[in-house]
């Protein structure tokens, strides 16, 4: 009401915190708990809130949800490693305490992926923005069962979520299904199998959709196998990454299998 009264254009509809049309983000200050009611936890920790429910208790600076307020920073390339025939791991250092990896899939005639695969070298400086999206691990329910399903380089966020969960002491079951057409398109298979040996709560399924399935792999599409192995998803948390068609279908199917919409996090690679 304050914003619209002063001629500031913000989207809104129901004015009751149901439609979430008025979603905004606090870039300075802390929104009230009431204004974050029923939001996904990943949105809440990023200081998103519903303007129609917010009676501020302190000064707030805000941005519309559609605005890109992610930071820009410089990073140095520390290492490059081919993970398979078309995915390159690029290790970047932002400062002495923060090192992270990109998993970059090469696309035919792809300007950025070809540049990252072929041109940049160890020691180069890059300028980046981000991170973006809502697929990351949230503390607070260490016993919760978690389902992770990805295709191709969609493994990248799932790899991070899995390691973050383990590093923060997650004790509930962690099921990871990674899909590709053939074994050459998968990667980090040995590392993930080692995790299952070292952590009793980790299950890993390398899934192949082609007719030729070597020993040690599971035949079929990752999404179908995931639902067959985990048919009841009530109270589970779900992460879906990679092929946009798979992600869209699995959002619906996991919801019908019992997962709450608040607990389904998607990162379609469009």
């Amino acid at each position: 009401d304050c914003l619209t009264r002063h001629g500031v254009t913000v989207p809104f509809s129901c004015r009751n915190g149901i439609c979430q049309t008025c979603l905004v983000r606090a870039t300075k200050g802390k929104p009230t708990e009431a204004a974050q009611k029923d939001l996904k936890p990943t949105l809440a920790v990023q200081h998103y809130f519903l303007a129609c429910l917010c009676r501020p208790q302190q000064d707030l600076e805000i941005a519309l949800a559609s605005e890109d307020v992610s930071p820009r920073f410089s990073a140095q390339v520390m290492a490059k490693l081919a993970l398979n025939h078309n995915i390159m791991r690029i290790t970047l250092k932002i400062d002495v305490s923060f090192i992270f990896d990109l998993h970059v899939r090469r696309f035919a005639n792809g300007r950025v992926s070809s540049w990252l695969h072929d041109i940049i070298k160890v020691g180069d400086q890059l300028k980046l923005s981000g991170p973006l999206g809502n697929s990351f691990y949230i503390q607070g329910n260490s016993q919760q069962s978690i389902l992770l399903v990805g295709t191709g380089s969609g493994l990248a966020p799932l790899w991070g979520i899995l390691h973050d969960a383990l590093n923060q002491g997650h004790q509930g079951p962690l099921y990871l299904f990674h899909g590709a057409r053939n074994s050459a398109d998968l990667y980090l298979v040995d590392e993930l199998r080692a995790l299952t040996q070292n952590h009793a709560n980790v299950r890993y399924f390398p899934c192949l959709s082609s007719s030729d399935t070597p020993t040690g792999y599971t035949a079929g599409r990752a999404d179908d196998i995931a639902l067959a192995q985990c048919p009841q998803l009530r109270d589970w948390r779900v992460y879906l990454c990679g092929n946009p068609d798979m992600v869209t279908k699995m959002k619906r199917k996991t919801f019908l299998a019992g997962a709450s919409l608040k607990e389904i996090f998607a990162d379609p690679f469009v």
Side-chain angles (χ1 to χ4, degrees):
D1 289 341
C2 175
L3 293 169
T4 56
R5 189 165 59 245
H6 286 81
V8 179
T9 301
V10 291
F12 66 90
S13 182
C14 72
R15 291 178 176 265
N16 290 302
I18 297 174
C19 71
Q20 299 191 1
T21 303
C22 66
L23 186 71
V24 293
R25 184 179 185 180
T27 57
K28 185 177 292 185
K30 184 178 181 180
T32 62
E33 290 186 11
Q36 295 183 312
K37 180 182 178 182
D38 294 329
L39 289 184
K40 286 189 174 183
T42 50
L43 291 175
V45 299
Q46 295 178 86
H47 307 298
Y48 285 95
F49 66 96
L50 300 176
C52 72
L53 296 180
C54 187
R55 296 179 179 272
Q57 304 300 312
Q58 57 181 276
D59 289 345
L60 293 175
E61 292 184 12
I62 70 171
L64 296 178
S66 58
E67 293 184 72
D68 182 6
V69 295
S70 58
R72 271 71 173 173
F73 50 87
S74 296
Q76 184 180 26
V77 179
M78 301 299 294
K80 293 178 65 177
L81 176 67
L83 297 175
N84 66 13
H85 67 99
N86 68 355
I87 294 179
M88 179 76 70
R89 179 166 63 196
I90 301 174
T91 301
L92 302 172
K93 182 177 75 171
I94 295 179
D95 56 42
V96 293
S97 63
F98 187 20
I99 294 177
F100 69 99
D101 292 335
L102 303 179
H103 297 180
V104 182
R105 178 183 174 188
R106 183 197 292 274
F107 283 85
N109 302 316
R111 294 177 64 186
V112 174
S113 64
S114 295
W115 174 66
L116 289 169
H117 273 250
D118 301 332
I119 305 300
I120 69 162
K121 57 185 182 298
V122 173
D124 284 354
Q125 294 285 332
L126 304 180
K127 292 189 179 297
L128 307 175
S129 64
L132 304 173
N134 298 305
S135 290
F136 55 89
Y137 180 73
I138 294 292
Q139 287 182 290
N141 190 353
S142 64
Q143 300 297 327
Q144 186 177 28
S145 299
I146 295 180
L147 173 65
L148 307 106
V149 184
T151 58
S153 58
L155 177 63
L158 304 182
W159 171 267
I161 291 165
L162 179 61
H163 280 78
D164 201 14
L166 293 173
N167 290 338
Q168 298 191 48
H170 193 89
Q171 299 173 11
L174 296 158
Y175 282 77
L176 171 60
F177 299 81
H178 184 209
R181 180 167 178 75
N182 53 62
S183 58
D185 292 329
L186 293 178
Y187 64 99
L188 296 175
V189 174
D190 292 340
E191 291 85 346
L192 286 165
R193 284 175 172 159
L195 277 182
T196 66
Q197 297 298 316
N198 296 325
H199 300 275
N201 60 330
V202 175
R203 299 285 305 278
Y204 166 56
F205 297 81
C207 308
L208 303 179
S209 59
S210 67
S211 57
D212 182 21
T213 306
T215 301
Y217 296 83
T218 304
R221 296 168 55 93
D223 49 343
D224 294 336
I225 297 168
L227 290 171
Q229 290 286 332
C230 309
Q232 301 296 326
L233 297 175
R234 182 180 178 86
D235 298 325
W236 284 54
R237 187 182 306 168
V238 177
Y239 294 95
L240 309 168
C241 302
N243 181 280
D245 290 336
M246 182 279 290
V247 169
T248 299
K249 292 176 182 177
M250 279 294 281
K251 285 174 67 176
R252 178 178 180 273
K253 290 180 179 180
T254 53
F255 171 72
L256 293 175
S260 166
L261 287 176
K262 282 182 60 177
E263 295 286 0
I264 301 174
F265 304 95
D267 191 3
F269 287 9
V270 296

